Amino acid sequence: DTGVSQNPRHKITKRGQNVTFRCDPISEHNRLYWYRQTLGQGPEFLTYFQNEAQLEKSRLLSDRFSAERPKGSFSTLEIQRTEQGDSAMYLCASMQTSGLYEQYFGPGTRLTVT
Amino acid sequence: AQSVTQLDSQVPVFEEAPVELRCNYSSSVSVYLFWYVQYPNQGLQLLLKYLSGSTLVESINGFEAEFNKSQTSFHLRKPSVHISDTAEYFCAVSERNFGNEKLTFGTGTRLTIIP
């Protein structure tokens, strides 16, 4: 399967702990996006990469959040000192900037902070 | 900044009946428009998109959407629904010429097909 993959699929953590999620995009895609989706809401943009460069971060992304995409391949999203408000589904999407404007989404990582 | 409104959070429809899922957007610039579908226990999938040209766009499974610039709408329609259309549908916009193609989503409409 050459789709977008995300690991882990589920993460339960205690408040104050650090967590890291991984996203593996479709191999030829140069764009990678992170979104967050809470219950009853649509996904909200967090940040995106063009190859290895992080080009934009949403104001939703507090200083406790950091994302990387070393070598322009997979990406990681780390949340430090988790809070209960961080509980959400974290979605990754990738896209090739070929003019089709089609983002392909992974299955998401569901984070529960207790 | 752009925004998307999906007024109907849930839409129940009898099988083989027509359906319309409403989407209105707000933006100070021209936009690209998308409908994504999320089937139970699956990730978001692109259903159809409007980039330019004909304002009526179609998907491979019988859905269509029409871009109406004057009403800033992009409603999704299907003339006859099937049980397999049960899913959550998200309307999304992306502002043209900003170069980031980030999506702004509505809150979604859950379509339930009644046998």
Side-chain angles (χ1 to χ4, degrees):
Chain A
D1 184 10
T2 57
V4 179
S5 62
Q6 292 186 247
N7 287 288
R9 295 291 305 276
H10 303 272
K11 179 70 176 178
I12 300 174
T13 190
K14 292 185 177 180
R15 188 176 52 191
Q17 297 295 304
N18 299 342
V19 294
T20 300
F21 311 139
R22 176 177 171 130
C23 170
D24 287 90
I26 294 171
S27 58
E28 63 269 25
H29 286 183
N30 54 356
R31 284 272 181 94
L32 188 147
Y33 297 82
W34 285 99
Y35 294 86
R36 179 171 66 189
Q37 185 176 18
T38 54
L39 202 60
Q41 301 296 315
E44 294 175 300
F45 169 79
L46 293 179
T47 188
Y48 89 100
F49 293 83
Q50 173 92 8
N51 299 311
E52 67 276 8
Q54 186 175 19
L55 296 186
E56 186 174 343
K57 294 192 290 186
S58 165
R59 287 171 292 177
L60 293 175
L61 215 60
S62 78
D63 292 344
R64 298 183 296 105
F65 288 70
S66 63
E68 295 182 340
R69 191 183 183 199
K71 302 180 182 178
S73 56
F74 70 93
S75 176
T76 58
L77 179 67
E78 180 183 16
I79 309 174
Q80 296 182 327
R81 305 181 303 280
T82 52
E83 302 172 356
Q84 287 189 323
D86 297 331
S87 295
M89 178 75 86
Y90 289 84
L91 300 172
C92 174
S94 70
M95 184 180 83
Q96 180 63 25
T97 51
S98 59
L100 294 179
Y101 302 100
E102 295 183 3
Q103 293 188 24
Y104 292 80
F105 282 80
T109 295
R110 182 169 295 284
L111 173 65
T112 302
V113 182
T114 61
Chain B
Q2 69 269 38
S3 65
V4 177
T5 301
Q6 292 181 250
L7 287 174
D8 305 307
S9 60
Q10 296 187 61
V11 173
V13 181
F14 285 103
E15 193 173 13
E16 298 183 2
V19 68
E20 179 178 80
L21 306 183
R22 296 178 294 168
C23 172
N24 288 87
Y25 69 92
S26 173
S27 176
S28 56
V29 300
S30 297
V31 297
Y32 301 124
L33 294 154
F34 306 84
W35 276 98
Y36 279 82
V37 58
Q38 187 169 34
Y39 297 105
N41 301 314
Q42 295 187 30
L44 284 164
Q45 301 174 31
L46 180 64
L47 184 61
L48 48 74
K49 64 184 180 184
Y50 170 77
L51 302 182
S52 64
S54 172
T55 57
L56 185 66
V57 292
E58 298 177 352
S59 73
I60 58 172
N61 58 351
F63 282 93
E64 64 178 30
E66 186 161 20
F67 168 53
N68 187 317
K69 188 175 181 179
S70 63
Q71 297 186 7
T72 60
S73 67
F74 191 55
H75 301 331
L76 182 69
R77 295 187 292 263
K78 189 171 186 180
S80 175
V81 296
H82 188 265
I83 289 286
S84 60
D85 294 324
T86 296
E88 187 145 24
Y89 293 78
F90 292 92
C91 182
V93 301
S94 174
E95 292 186 330
R96 291 174 182 258
N97 303 325
F98 271 59
N100 57 24
E101 281 75 50
K102 66 182 179 182
L103 296 170
T104 298
F105 287 86
T107 51
T109 297
R110 185 170 299 278
L111 177 62
T112 302
I113 309 302
I114 305 166

